[in-house]
Amino acid sequence: MRRALLPAAALAGALALTGCGSGSDSGSAEAEVSVSSSYMPQPVSADMAAGFLTITNKGGVKDELTSVTSDVAGQVTMHSTVGGAMEEQNSFAVPAHGQLVFKSGGNHLMFEKLKHKPAQGQKVTLKLTFAKSGPVTVEMPVKSATYNPSTGH
Ligand code: CU
């Protein structure tokens, strides 16, 4: 009889663990993206501009940035920078409990076929589309051409 009790206790313990695990995860079983630190350096060229931002995923599931559009540009493309050379990407992963960072010298957005040249002090509206979270609208401020986010100038 004693021997029979051991497996039963072990099984009960396993069930309790499973229940506890799924319960504590329920709040983050979805991707939860937000955008911060967005800016566009005032472009030097009349037909092309760059944009930078940080995407944070507080959820427990990874998401994917699949497209970017803006009313000021005919097309917005997403680029990575690998070994100093930029490469166009069709999508970027946003890891669970992680960040996707677009910054000067690294990943960046390129606004092509500009309808007008954005000037410092203006805002550019863009729409980011995520595979799981859907569309997110961002008001991206236009900063000086030499703006550095770490100094704020
Ligand atoms: Cu580029």
Side-chain angles (χ1 to χ4, degrees), residues 18-43:
T18 309
C20 181
S22 63
S24 66
D25 276 347
S26 65
S28 59
E30 286 180 357
E32 197 182 325
V33 298
S34 60
V35 176
S36 60
S37 311
S38 75
Y39 75 98
M40 170 186 283
Q42 180 176 291

PDB file of all heavy atoms in Angstrom, residues 18-43:
ATOM      1  N   THR A  18       1.704  21.987 -13.441  1.00  0.00           N
ATOM      2  CA  THR A  18       1.193  22.349 -14.752  1.00  0.00           C
ATOM      3  C   THR A  18       0.142  23.444 -14.629  1.00  0.00           C
ATOM      4  O   THR A  18       0.172  24.432 -15.341  1.00  0.00           O
ATOM      5  CB  THR A  18       0.571  21.118 -15.453  1.00  0.00           C
ATOM      6  OG1 THR A  18       1.526  20.084 -15.398  1.00  0.00           O
ATOM      7  CG2 THR A  18       0.220  21.414 -16.882  1.00  0.00           C
ATOM      8  N   GLY A  19      -0.767  23.245 -13.652  1.00  0.00           N
ATOM      9  CA  GLY A  19      -1.829  24.227 -13.461  1.00  0.00           C
ATOM     10  C   GLY A  19      -1.265  25.581 -13.101  1.00  0.00           C
ATOM     11  O   GLY A  19      -1.661  26.600 -13.649  1.00  0.00           O
ATOM     12  N   CYS A  20      -0.293  25.578 -12.233  1.00  0.00           N
ATOM     13  CA  CYS A  20       0.313  26.829 -11.794  1.00  0.00           C
ATOM     14  C   CYS A  20       0.997  27.528 -12.962  1.00  0.00           C
ATOM     15  O   CYS A  20       0.836  28.722 -13.167  1.00  0.00           O
ATOM     16  CB  CYS A  20       1.336  26.539 -10.708  1.00  0.00           C
ATOM     17  SG  CYS A  20       2.133  27.996 -10.070  1.00  0.00           S
ATOM     18  N   GLY A  21       1.728  26.749 -13.768  1.00  0.00           N
ATOM     19  CA  GLY A  21       2.460  27.335 -14.883  1.00  0.00           C
ATOM     20  C   GLY A  21       1.549  28.009 -15.884  1.00  0.00           C
ATOM     21  O   GLY A  21       1.765  29.165 -16.239  1.00  0.00           O
ATOM     22  N   SER A  22       0.473  27.341 -16.298  1.00  0.00           N
ATOM     23  CA  SER A  22      -0.394  27.923 -17.310  1.00  0.00           C
ATOM     24  C   SER A  22      -1.146  29.120 -16.742  1.00  0.00           C
ATOM     25  O   SER A  22      -1.455  30.056 -17.449  1.00  0.00           O
ATOM     26  CB  SER A  22      -1.358  26.882 -17.871  1.00  0.00           C
ATOM     27  OG  SER A  22      -2.213  26.425 -16.859  1.00  0.00           O
ATOM     28  N   GLY A  23      -1.438  29.071 -15.426  1.00  0.00           N
ATOM     29  CA  GLY A  23      -2.134  30.185 -14.807  1.00  0.00           C
ATOM     30  C   GLY A  23      -1.304  31.451 -14.814  1.00  0.00           C
ATOM     31  O   GLY A  23      -1.790  32.507 -15.194  1.00  0.00           O
ATOM     32  N   SER A  24      -0.037  31.342 -14.466  1.00  0.00           N
ATOM     33  CA  SER A  24       0.788  32.535 -14.375  1.00  0.00           C
ATOM     34  C   SER A  24       1.147  33.080 -15.757  1.00  0.00           C
ATOM     35  O   SER A  24       1.509  34.235 -15.895  1.00  0.00           O
ATOM     36  CB  SER A  24       2.066  32.231 -13.591  1.00  0.00           C
ATOM     37  OG  SER A  24       2.865  31.307 -14.302  1.00  0.00           O
ATOM     38  N   ASP A  25       1.036  32.273 -16.785  1.00  0.00           N
ATOM     39  CA  ASP A  25       1.363  32.720 -18.146  1.00  0.00           C
ATOM     40  C   ASP A  25       0.197  33.410 -18.840  1.00  0.00           C
ATOM     41  O   ASP A  25       0.383  34.026 -19.874  1.00  0.00           O
ATOM     42  CB  ASP A  25       1.791  31.532 -19.020  1.00  0.00           C
ATOM     43  CG  ASP A  25       3.263  31.211 -18.823  1.00  0.00           C
ATOM     44  OD1 ASP A  25       3.967  32.041 -18.219  1.00  0.00           O
ATOM     45  OD2 ASP A  25       3.693  30.160 -19.273  1.00  0.00           O
ATOM     46  N   SER A  26      -1.009  33.280 -18.307  1.00  0.00           N
ATOM     47  CA  SER A  26      -2.186  33.712 -19.043  1.00  0.00           C
ATOM     48  C   SER A  26      -2.150  35.207 -19.372  1.00  0.00           C
ATOM     49  O   SER A  26      -2.715  35.640 -20.351  1.00  0.00           O
ATOM     50  CB  SER A  26      -3.458  33.366 -18.271  1.00  0.00           C
ATOM     51  OG  SER A  26      -3.473  34.112 -17.073  1.00  0.00           O
ATOM     52  N   GLY A  27      -1.460  36.015 -18.558  1.00  0.00           N
ATOM     53  CA  GLY A  27      -1.422  37.444 -18.811  1.00  0.00           C
ATOM     54  C   GLY A  27      -0.539  37.821 -19.982  1.00  0.00           C
ATOM     55  O   GLY A  27      -0.654  38.913 -20.512  1.00  0.00           O
ATOM     56  N   SER A  28       0.351  36.931 -20.410  1.00  0.00           N
ATOM     57  CA  SER A  28       1.298  37.298 -21.460  1.00  0.00           C
ATOM     58  C   SER A  28       1.308  36.285 -22.595  1.00  0.00           C
ATOM     59  O   SER A  28       2.312  36.052 -23.219  1.00  0.00           O
ATOM     60  CB  SER A  28       2.699  37.424 -20.861  1.00  0.00           C
ATOM     61  OG  SER A  28       3.066  36.201 -20.275  1.00  0.00           O
ATOM     62  N   ALA A  29       0.174  35.637 -22.828  1.00  0.00           N
ATOM     63  CA  ALA A  29       0.106  34.624 -23.872  1.00  0.00           C
ATOM     64  C   ALA A  29      -0.074  35.243 -25.261  1.00  0.00           C
ATOM     65  O   ALA A  29      -0.303  34.548 -26.234  1.00  0.00           O
ATOM     66  CB  ALA A  29      -1.019  33.647 -23.586  1.00  0.00           C
ATOM     67  N   GLU A  30       0.029  36.580 -25.321  1.00  0.00           N
ATOM     68  CA  GLU A  30      -0.092  37.252 -26.604  1.00  0.00           C
ATOM     69  C   GLU A  30       1.087  38.204 -26.758  1.00  0.00           C
ATOM     70  O   GLU A  30       1.683  38.613 -25.768  1.00  0.00           O
ATOM     71  CB  GLU A  30      -1.386  38.077 -26.642  1.00  0.00           C
ATOM     72  CG  GLU A  30      -2.623  37.227 -26.792  1.00  0.00           C
ATOM     73  CD  GLU A  30      -3.877  38.075 -26.836  1.00  0.00           C
ATOM     74  OE1 GLU A  30      -3.766  39.308 -26.695  1.00  0.00           O
ATOM     75  OE2 GLU A  30      -4.949  37.495 -27.001  1.00  0.00           O
ATOM     76  N   ALA A  31       1.381  38.560 -27.995  1.00  0.00           N
ATOM     77  CA  ALA A  31       2.389  39.587 -28.225  1.00  0.00           C
ATOM     78  C   ALA A  31       1.792  40.921 -27.797  1.00  0.00           C
ATOM     79  O   ALA A  31       0.595  41.147 -27.936  1.00  0.00           O
ATOM     80  CB  ALA A  31       2.770  39.618 -29.694  1.00  0.00           C
ATOM     81  N   GLU A  32       2.619  41.793 -27.228  1.00  0.00           N
ATOM     82  CA  GLU A  32       2.130  43.083 -26.744  1.00  0.00           C
ATOM     83  C   GLU A  32       3.182  44.126 -27.099  1.00  0.00           C
ATOM     84  O   GLU A  32       4.128  44.350 -26.358  1.00  0.00           O
ATOM     85  CB  GLU A  32       1.937  42.958 -25.228  1.00  0.00           C
ATOM     86  CG  GLU A  32       1.074  44.034 -24.625  1.00  0.00           C
ATOM     87  CD  GLU A  32       0.977  43.874 -23.104  1.00  0.00           C
ATOM     88  OE1 GLU A  32       0.962  42.732 -22.618  1.00  0.00           O
ATOM     89  OE2 GLU A  32       0.953  44.901 -22.428  1.00  0.00           O
ATOM     90  N   VAL A  33       3.037  44.727 -28.284  1.00  0.00           N
ATOM     91  CA  VAL A  33       4.091  45.615 -28.771  1.00  0.00           C
ATOM     92  C   VAL A  33       3.773  47.084 -28.516  1.00  0.00           C
ATOM     93  O   VAL A  33       2.619  47.494 -28.509  1.00  0.00           O
ATOM     94  CB  VAL A  33       4.366  45.403 -30.280  1.00  0.00           C
ATOM     95  CG1 VAL A  33       4.847  43.984 -30.547  1.00  0.00           C
ATOM     96  CG2 VAL A  33       3.153  45.737 -31.109  1.00  0.00           C
ATOM     97  N   SER A  34       4.823  47.849 -28.272  1.00  0.00           N
ATOM     98  CA  SER A  34       4.704  49.300 -28.165  1.00  0.00           C
ATOM     99  C   SER A  34       5.944  49.924 -28.793  1.00  0.00           C
ATOM    100  O   SER A  34       6.984  49.284 -28.905  1.00  0.00           O
ATOM    101  CB  SER A  34       4.561  49.724 -26.702  1.00  0.00           C
ATOM    102  OG  SER A  34       5.694  49.313 -25.978  1.00  0.00           O
ATOM    103  N   VAL A  35       5.788  51.164 -29.234  1.00  0.00           N
ATOM    104  CA  VAL A  35       6.870  51.841 -29.951  1.00  0.00           C
ATOM    105  C   VAL A  35       7.342  53.038 -29.144  1.00  0.00           C
ATOM    106  O   VAL A  35       6.533  53.770 -28.574  1.00  0.00           O
ATOM    107  CB  VAL A  35       6.374  52.294 -31.345  1.00  0.00           C
ATOM    108  CG1 VAL A  35       7.453  53.091 -32.071  1.00  0.00           C
ATOM    109  CG2 VAL A  35       5.947  51.093 -32.175  1.00  0.00           C
ATOM    110  N   SER A  36       8.648  53.225 -29.065  1.00  0.00           N
ATOM    111  CA  SER A  36       9.197  54.376 -28.347  1.00  0.00           C
ATOM    112  C   SER A  36      10.409  54.910 -29.093  1.00  0.00           C
ATOM    113  O   SER A  36      10.906  54.286 -30.028  1.00  0.00           O
ATOM    114  CB  SER A  36       9.593  53.966 -26.925  1.00  0.00           C
ATOM    115  OG  SER A  36      10.569  52.952 -26.971  1.00  0.00           O
ATOM    116  N   SER A  37      10.891  56.078 -28.637  1.00  0.00           N
ATOM    117  CA  SER A  37      12.128  56.690 -29.150  1.00  0.00           C
ATOM    118  C   SER A  37      12.156  56.820 -30.670  1.00  0.00           C
ATOM    119  O   SER A  37      13.202  56.627 -31.283  1.00  0.00           O
ATOM    120  CB  SER A  37      13.350  55.878 -28.714  1.00  0.00           C
ATOM    121  OG  SER A  37      13.315  55.611 -27.348  1.00  0.00           O
ATOM    122  N   SER A  38      11.006  57.144 -31.272  1.00  0.00           N
ATOM    123  CA  SER A  38      11.026  57.257 -32.734  1.00  0.00           C
ATOM    124  C   SER A  38      11.491  58.651 -33.149  1.00  0.00           C
ATOM    125  O   SER A  38      11.195  59.641 -32.483  1.00  0.00           O
ATOM    126  CB  SER A  38       9.643  56.975 -33.310  1.00  0.00           C
ATOM    127  OG  SER A  38       8.774  58.067 -33.095  1.00  0.00           O
ATOM    128  N   TYR A  39      12.253  58.730 -34.225  1.00  0.00           N
ATOM    129  CA  TYR A  39      12.628  60.018 -34.802  1.00  0.00           C
ATOM    130  C   TYR A  39      13.117  59.852 -36.222  1.00  0.00           C
ATOM    131  O   TYR A  39      13.549  58.778 -36.626  1.00  0.00           O
ATOM    132  CB  TYR A  39      13.705  60.726 -33.956  1.00  0.00           C
ATOM    133  CG  TYR A  39      15.104  60.162 -34.091  1.00  0.00           C
ATOM    134  CD1 TYR A  39      16.046  60.754 -34.943  1.00  0.00           C
ATOM    135  CD2 TYR A  39      15.488  59.038 -33.375  1.00  0.00           C
ATOM    136  CE1 TYR A  39      17.323  60.248 -35.065  1.00  0.00           C
ATOM    137  CE2 TYR A  39      16.771  58.520 -33.495  1.00  0.00           C
ATOM    138  CZ  TYR A  39      17.687  59.138 -34.336  1.00  0.00           C
ATOM    139  OH  TYR A  39      18.950  58.622 -34.458  1.00  0.00           O
ATOM    140  N   MET A  40      13.010  60.950 -36.950  1.00  0.00           N
ATOM    141  CA  MET A  40      13.543  61.013 -38.317  1.00  0.00           C
ATOM    142  C   MET A  40      14.504  62.184 -38.371  1.00  0.00           C
ATOM    143  O   MET A  40      14.116  63.307 -38.058  1.00  0.00           O
ATOM    144  CB  MET A  40      12.394  61.245 -39.315  1.00  0.00           C
ATOM    145  CG  MET A  40      12.873  61.574 -40.729  1.00  0.00           C
ATOM    146  SD  MET A  40      11.505  62.015 -41.843  1.00  0.00           S
ATOM    147  CE  MET A  40      10.824  60.404 -42.179  1.00  0.00           C
ATOM    148  N   PRO A  41      15.777  61.945 -38.721  1.00  0.00           N
ATOM    149  CA  PRO A  41      16.656  63.094 -38.930  1.00  0.00           C
ATOM    150  C   PRO A  41      16.172  63.853 -40.167  1.00  0.00           C
ATOM    151  O   PRO A  41      15.838  63.217 -41.177  1.00  0.00           O
ATOM    152  CB  PRO A  41      18.029  62.465 -39.184  1.00  0.00           C
ATOM    153  CG  PRO A  41      17.879  61.002 -38.903  1.00  0.00           C
ATOM    154  CD  PRO A  41      16.429  60.674 -39.043  1.00  0.00           C
ATOM    155  N   GLN A  42      16.103  65.170 -40.081  1.00  0.00           N
ATOM    156  CA  GLN A  42      15.657  65.948 -41.246  1.00  0.00           C
ATOM    157  C   GLN A  42      16.482  65.525 -42.451  1.00  0.00           C
ATOM    158  O   GLN A  42      17.716  65.570 -42.418  1.00  0.00           O
ATOM    159  CB  GLN A  42      15.829  67.442 -40.988  1.00  0.00           C
ATOM    160  CG  GLN A  42      15.371  68.287 -42.163  1.00  0.00           C
ATOM    161  CD  GLN A  42      15.461  69.772 -41.865  1.00  0.00           C
ATOM    162  OE1 GLN A  42      14.711  70.285 -41.060  1.00  0.00           O
ATOM    163  NE2 GLN A  42      16.400  70.451 -42.502  1.00  0.00           N
ATOM    164  N   PRO A  43      15.794  65.061 -43.508  1.00  0.00           N
ATOM    165  CA  PRO A  43      16.558  64.511 -44.641  1.00  0.00           C
ATOM    166  C   PRO A  43      17.343  65.568 -45.409  1.00  0.00           C
ATOM    167  O   PRO A  43      16.931  66.713 -45.505  1.00  0.00           O
ATOM    168  CB  PRO A  43      15.476  63.884 -45.520  1.00  0.00           C
ATOM    169  CG  PRO A  43      14.212  64.554 -45.134  1.00  0.00           C
ATOM    170  CD  PRO A  43      14.348  64.965 -43.697  1.00  0.00           C
TER     171      PRO A  43
END
